[in-house]
Amino acid sequence: MTELHEVQITEEKPLLLPPSQPVPGKKHSVETPYGLVAFTVHGTPKPKRPAILTYHDVGLNHQSCFEPLFRFEDMQEIVKNFVVVHVDAPGMEEGAPLFPLGYQYPSLDQLADMIPCILQYLKFTSIIGIGVGAGAYILARYSLSHPDTVEGLVLINIDPNAKGWMDWAAHKLSGLTSSIPEMILAHLFSQEELSGCTELVQQYREALVGAPNLSNIQLYWSSYNTRRDLNFERGGDVTLKCPVMLVVGDQAPHEDAVVECNSKLDPTQTSFLKMADSGGQPQLTQPGKLTEAFKYFVQGMGYMASSCMTRLSRSRTASLSSAASGDGSQSRSRTLSQNSESGSPQQPPRPAPGSGAHTMEVSC
């Protein structure tokens, strides 16, 4: 009998990285009329599907703003269906050089005007945008200028209004008594989180105080505080044409601004999600709830079928279906199952004019 020898085979390239080691994205930068902009691409383009494009808030970059959300396990079931582009505002990316003294940082409008250069470079034709704070404003401004390229927007902590005189005076006064990091922390987190000095607040305070590009961050902060009014008007010409999901934490610093924004947008296109126990940064503190809401938002655009639902939602939908009437159950099944892989979305039916449709408001 032939003698058997044990042979050890070493795999040169593991097929899958452990969950603790997310697949690294490919970094790019492109020159625009307003300077260089860096962005990171995860995944490959899917035929006839938009890219998910994110834009972060002041004091953050794409990692510190979105990593907990996009590393969340159930989020992987969503993003595998799309290519993801994380944009860093100029000078905010890791290892960014400091801008010279007197450098004229782009306005938020000009930052929005950089996005077409990114899409042209990548040869992408449409996006689903996810923005936080200043990033939400930038994506909304971009959508107003390029509505045909935006299929949906998730706007977290958006303030569409310019600062009034009282806000301007209060900002100047706080600048005399507070440091830049403390002012930005008050923009990012709720008063309850700040007074409680939570672990998250402490982590981000240390990151801001020790940031090697703090002078760059201050320029982005200044541009945010000198933003123009978006002038949204319900029923008017200046509005967002695509489906929009507005998100804010309960008692977050921008709660009133998001509520006001909700009142100015088309109620048949807008959903409003107020998240309890999430503080000022729901994408950091409640990634699970936000993932589930985003999944329903994308499904409403026709891009994901029930087979792509998260485990939590499959369980919840099964419970709802068993309790619902036969007609309602069948209707829900049709809505979630349409267009699994065709790419081209089937839009869900919209309420007829005058039908009394209201903005969907959800607290969770």
Side-chain angles (χ1 to χ4, degrees):
M1 180 180 293
T2 306
E3 185 178 355
L4 298 178
H5 296 276
E6 183 177 341
V7 178
Q8 184 175 1
I9 300 175
T10 303
E11 188 179 4
E12 293 183 0
K13 293 184 179 180
L15 296 178
L16 294 173
L17 289 173
S20 60
Q21 299 178 25
V23 177
K26 188 173 182 180
K27 297 182 179 181
H28 303 263
S29 60
V30 63
E31 191 66 49
T32 77
Y34 307 105
L36 198 69
V37 61
F39 50 96
T40 305
V41 180
H42 292 264
T44 56
K46 306 300 187 290
K48 298 182 181 179
R49 293 198 175 191
I52 294 176
L53 185 143
T54 73
Y55 216 117
H56 61 88
D57 202 355
V58 176
L60 309 173
N61 57 28
H62 84 264
Q63 291 107 322
S64 57
C65 188
F66 291 109
E67 193 169 78
L69 176 63
F70 280 85
R71 287 185 64 177
F72 191 74
E73 185 177 1
D74 286 343
M75 190 65 160
Q76 306 309 308
E77 297 188 44
I78 301 174
V79 298
K80 69 183 181 182
N81 295 279
F82 302 89
V83 61
V84 180
V85 182
H86 294 297
V87 180
D88 283 308
M92 303 303 121
E93 69 275 13
E94 284 190 353
L98 298 182
F99 292 119
L101 190 65
Y103 176 79
Q104 183 62 48
Y105 196 81
S107 67
L108 294 197
D109 291 9
Q110 291 170 334
L111 293 176
D113 288 339
M114 290 180 169
I115 295 176
C117 300
I118 297 173
L119 300 186
Q120 183 179 7
Y121 174 87
L122 295 171
K123 296 182 171 61
F124 294 167
T125 57
S126 63
I127 65 168
I128 297 172
I130 305 178
V132 181
Y137 178 102
I138 290 166
L139 290 179
R141 174 65 72 185
Y142 170 76
S143 183
L144 291 176
S145 304
H146 302 82
D148 294 339
T149 67
V150 182
E151 299 195 23
L153 287 174
V154 178
L155 304 177
I156 304 170
N157 296 338
I158 185 172
D159 187 346
N161 303 315
K163 281 189 174 291
W165 284 107
M166 293 295 292
D167 295 324
W168 181 85
H171 174 72
K172 287 294 184 183
L173 183 61
S174 63
L176 298 176
T177 58
S178 303
S179 65
I180 292 297
E182 291 302 321
M183 293 169 67
I184 293 176
L185 286 170
H187 162 79
L188 294 174
F189 296 103
S190 69
Q191 190 57 49
E192 182 179 358
E193 290 172 295
L194 293 172
S195 59
C197 198
T198 66
E199 183 179 347
L200 185 66
V201 168
Q202 192 58 33
Q203 175 188 344
Y204 280 75
R205 175 180 282 116
E206 291 173 0
L208 273 171
V209 171
N213 63 335
L214 183 58
S215 60
N216 291 359
I217 295 172
Q218 185 173 356
L219 294 175
Y220 187 21
W221 175 238
S222 178
S223 286
Y224 176 70
N225 286 307
T226 54
R227 66 191 179 277
R228 295 193 302 147
D229 200 311
L230 289 176
N231 292 314
F232 288 147
E233 183 181 359
R234 177 171 289 185
D237 294 331
V238 182
T239 190
L240 298 175
K241 309 291 186 183
C242 63
V244 178
M245 181 168 72
L246 299 175
V247 183
V248 70
D250 193 18
Q251 298 183 345
H254 306 287
E255 182 179 357
D256 291 343
V258 178
V259 170
E260 182 181 351
C261 181
N262 180 53
S263 71
K264 295 180 178 180
L265 295 179
D266 181 354
T268 67
Q269 291 274 52
T270 308
S271 57
F272 177 35
L273 179 63
K274 184 185 291 187
M275 300 182 66
D277 303 322
S278 65
Q281 298 293 309
Q283 81 283 0
L284 299 178
T285 58
Q286 297 284 358
K289 290 181 180 180
L290 189 54
T291 294
E292 187 172 5
F294 181 59
K295 182 266 303 181
Y296 283 122
F297 181 72
V298 171
Q299 284 184 333
M301 299 168 64
Y303 280 116
M304 289 176 59
S306 56
S307 60
C308 299
M309 294 167 64
T310 63
R311 293 186 301 277
L312 173 62
S313 300
R314 279 195 292 267
S315 173
R316 181 171 297 180
T317 300
S319 301
L320 289 172
S321 297
S322 64
S325 66
D327 290 342
S329 173
Q330 293 170 5
S331 174
R332 184 183 299 109
S333 177
R334 284 194 299 270
T335 301
L336 295 177
S337 299
Q338 63 182 345
N339 208 30
S340 172
E341 296 296 337
S342 62
S344 177
Q346 298 177 8
Q347 293 295 341
R350 294 177 182 171
S355 62
H358 298 285
T359 299
M360 183 181 74
E361 298 192 18
V362 180
S363 296
C364 62

